[in-house]
């Protein structure tokens, strides 16, 4: 979960004066729960695929519609795009992405940059998806979308186009790395095919995500060489990186963030019924699986504050059980090092995702030859670092879009 803050200031003033109303309007709107007549994704006729997906190439646009961002008259052109992607098993599925472009010419060098921004969806239902919130729908489960508006607004202020995919897919598969990575990459392909407002084949591409969004960003980066060699990233940034899922769940178990441990447990049981994890649940756990299989991340936080996962398990210390660990091992980052320049950051006192997992991941990437700048941030906690380190992440992307070279190898900042 993240907290609120004022948007950070940049020295890039090319379009800043034009977008001050954008930032203020979006931020003011984003945190006021105003009910809007926007159908949730499941009954929305836009979402079911209307054509046979199998013959379509990855990233092909199936349909698109324009809309007003958050239902407001902002200086941004917005599209919702349905595109062809593939799930973890390789089956074709219809993905959804939101593409945003500021309503002024790109005055920088080359074509307008495209930033793939991964919002921490952290949920098990499409009503929690970023596309629903960005269209003006309200649901507590989409809280991270409203919060991440601050960072999206800054990218737009700089003149960049933004694509935000519902990377969990139509089945809302939280904690499915390959599924998420493929959806991110195909969302980028779809945004390039849409070619909005100066975006083209030569547009520099970047990616950014924090926490759950970092998970999707880095999975996309890891599988890019094999799955999407046509996409060349100028650079990626990620922070609050989820690494070592057992340690993360054990760290929050019994605390106010215990809902995260329950979310992970329920997600694994839902995503892979044959993993053996459902058999680890007791009757109370099976009831939770039935009741919460379509819950959003904030729902888990509210419902399971200070809960202990073992109260829902038929075995002791379920978060260390070999079956649970085998299931989470398949979702750990670090199997291969991304080939593009990276900027990764993490609070040394992160109270949600322990820093030890981040340090280990950095070590694995570096041992595989990554070009990586990493930051062990002194800022206190998961949420504070999300805000305080954002300027560094944005600056790294701006330099990559401008063609500034990076020193090879791994470097601590």
């Amino acid at each position: 979960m993240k907290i609120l803050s004022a948007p950070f200031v940049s020295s890039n003033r090319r379009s800043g004066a034009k977008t001050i109303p954008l930032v203020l309007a979006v931020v003011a709107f984003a945190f006021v729960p105003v009910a809007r007549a926007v159908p949730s994704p499941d009954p929305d006729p836009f979402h079911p695929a209307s054509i046979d997906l199998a013959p379509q190439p990855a990233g092909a646009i199936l349909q698109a519609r324009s809309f007003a961002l958050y239902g407001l008259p902002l200086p941004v052109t917005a599209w919702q795009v349905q595109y062809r992607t593939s799930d973890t098993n390789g089956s074709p599925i219809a993905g959804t992405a939101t593409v945003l472009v500021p309503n002024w010419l790109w005055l920088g060098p080359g074509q307008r940059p495209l930033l793939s921004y991964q919002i921490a969806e952290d949920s098990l239902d499409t009503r929690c998806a970023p596309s629903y919130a960005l269209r003006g729908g309200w649901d507590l489960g989409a809280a991270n979308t409203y919060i991440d508006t601050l960072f999206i607004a800054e990218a737009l202020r700089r003149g960049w186009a933004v694509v935000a995919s519902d990377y969990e897919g139509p089945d809302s598969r939280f904690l499915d790395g390959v599924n998420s990575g493929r959806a991110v990459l195909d969302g980028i392909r779809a945004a390039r095919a849409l070619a909005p407002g100066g975006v083209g084949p030569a547009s520099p591409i970047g990616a950014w995500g924090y926490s759950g969004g970092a998970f999707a960003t880095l999975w996309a980066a890891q599988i890019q060489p094999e799955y999407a060699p046509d996409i060349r990233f100028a650079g990626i940034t990620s922070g609050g990186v989820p690494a070592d899922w057992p340690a993360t769940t054990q760290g929050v178990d019994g605390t106010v963030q215990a809902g995260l441990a329950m979310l992970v447990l329920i997600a694994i049981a839902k995503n892979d019924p044959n993993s053996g994890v459902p058999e680890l649940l007791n009757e109370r756990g099976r009831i939770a699986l039935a009741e919460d299989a379509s819950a959003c991340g904030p729902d888990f936080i509210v419902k399971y504050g200070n809960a202990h996962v073992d109260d829902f398990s038929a075995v002791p210390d379920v978060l260390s059980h070999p079956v649970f660990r085998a299931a989470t091992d398949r979702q750990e980052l670090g199997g291969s090092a991304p080939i593009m320049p990276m900027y990764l950051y993490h609070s040394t006192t992160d109270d949600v995702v322990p820093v030890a997992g981040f340090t280990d991941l950095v070590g694995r990437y570096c041992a595989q030859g990554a070009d990586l700048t990493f930051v062990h941030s002194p800022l206190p906690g998961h949420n504070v670092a999300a805000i305080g380190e954002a300027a560094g992440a944005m600056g790294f992307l701006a330099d990559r879009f401008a063609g500034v070279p990076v020193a090879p190898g791994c470097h601590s900042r």
Side-chain angles (χ1 to χ4, degrees), residues 10-402:
S10 166
S11 61
N12 179 354
R13 301 183 181 275
R14 180 179 294 118
S15 57
K18 296 180 181 179
T19 53
I20 289 174
L22 162 67
V23 175
L24 295 180
V26 169
V27 171
F29 170 83
F31 305 109
V32 179
V34 180
R36 300 193 178 269
V38 176
S40 60
D42 282 346
D44 187 340
F46 178 82
H47 288 280
S50 58
I51 63 173
D52 182 14
L53 296 177
Q56 304 299 319
I61 295 176
L62 308 177
Q63 55 180 329
R65 63 183 175 186
S66 61
F67 67 96
L69 179 61
Y70 287 122
L72 297 175
L74 299 170
V76 175
T77 301
W79 294 267
Q80 195 172 72
V81 179
Q82 186 186 68
Y83 60 95
R84 196 265 202 201
T85 186
S86 300
D87 66 13
T88 298
N89 297 320
S91 300
I93 56 175
T96 301
T98 303
V99 181
L100 308 171
V101 177
N103 289 347
W104 52 86
L105 293 175
W106 167 248
L107 300 178
Q111 295 183 330
R112 189 190 296 271
L114 175 64
L115 174 64
S116 179
Y117 188 89
Q118 282 60 252
I119 294 166
E121 197 167 339
D122 295 354
S123 297
L124 306 178
D125 192 78
T126 54
R127 66 183 170 86
C128 326
S131 64
Y132 175 57
L134 292 168
R135 285 191 66 221
W138 169 257
D139 192 287
L140 178 62
N144 284 342
T145 300
Y146 310 128
I147 295 169
D148 279 6
T149 298
L150 296 166
F151 308 116
I152 293 172
E154 172 64 8
L156 294 170
R157 190 196 69 78
R158 291 170 178 259
W160 304 345
V162 175
V163 54
S165 297
D166 296 350
Y167 54 80
E168 290 185 5
D171 293 327
S172 299
R173 293 178 62 87
F174 172 72
L175 201 59
D176 186 336
V178 173
N179 183 82
S180 296
R182 288 175 174 175
V184 169
L185 294 167
D186 288 329
I188 293 170
R189 284 168 162 157
R192 280 200 311 198
L194 187 68
V199 172
S203 289
I205 299 171
W208 185 13
Y210 193 84
S211 193
F215 176 78
T217 300
L218 290 172
W219 266 101
Q222 287 186 177
I223 68 174
Q224 175 270 326
E226 178 181 357
Y227 184 77
D230 55 301
I231 295 175
R232 301 294 298 271
F233 284 99
I236 64 169
T237 61
S238 289
V241 180
D244 194 342
W245 286 104
T248 297
T249 52
Q250 291 164 4
V252 298
D253 191 36
T255 73
V256 294
Q257 296 274 14
L260 174 59
M262 287 297 296
L263 169 61
V264 170
L265 184 68
I266 298 300
I268 291 174
K270 175 188 173 184
N271 290 347
D272 188 0
N274 298 319
S275 64
V277 172
E279 285 70 41
L280 302 181
L281 304 177
N282 60 17
E283 182 178 0
R284 190 178 177 189
R286 291 190 293 271
I287 291 172
L289 175 59
E291 290 181 348
D292 300 320
S294 60
C296 296
D299 300 331
F300 279 91
I301 297 298
V302 171
K303 182 175 181 178
Y304 293 107
N306 300 310
H308 291 276
V309 173
D310 277 356
D311 292 339
F312 300 84
S313 171
V315 298
D317 197 14
V318 66
L319 299 178
S320 296
H321 193 280
V323 170
F324 177 80
R325 294 189 69 93
T328 56
D329 281 349
R330 291 191 287 272
Q331 304 305 329
E332 295 290 359
L333 292 161
S336 61
I339 62 173
M340 69 291 295
M342 293 185 288
Y343 180 97
L344 306 182
Y345 54 101
H346 203 103
S347 170
T348 57
T349 55
D350 195 303
D351 53 334
V352 178
V353 183
V355 69
F358 171 78
T359 303
D360 179 66
L361 177 64
V362 167
R364 280 181 282 158
Y365 279 161
C366 291
Q368 297 176 72
D371 295 329
L372 169 60
T373 300
F374 59 94
V375 181
H376 282 90
S377 173
L379 295 176
H382 192 73
N383 294 329
V384 175
I387 296 161
E389 296 292 348
M394 186 71 76
F396 180 86
L397 288 169
D399 285 345
R400 304 293 77 73
F401 290 160

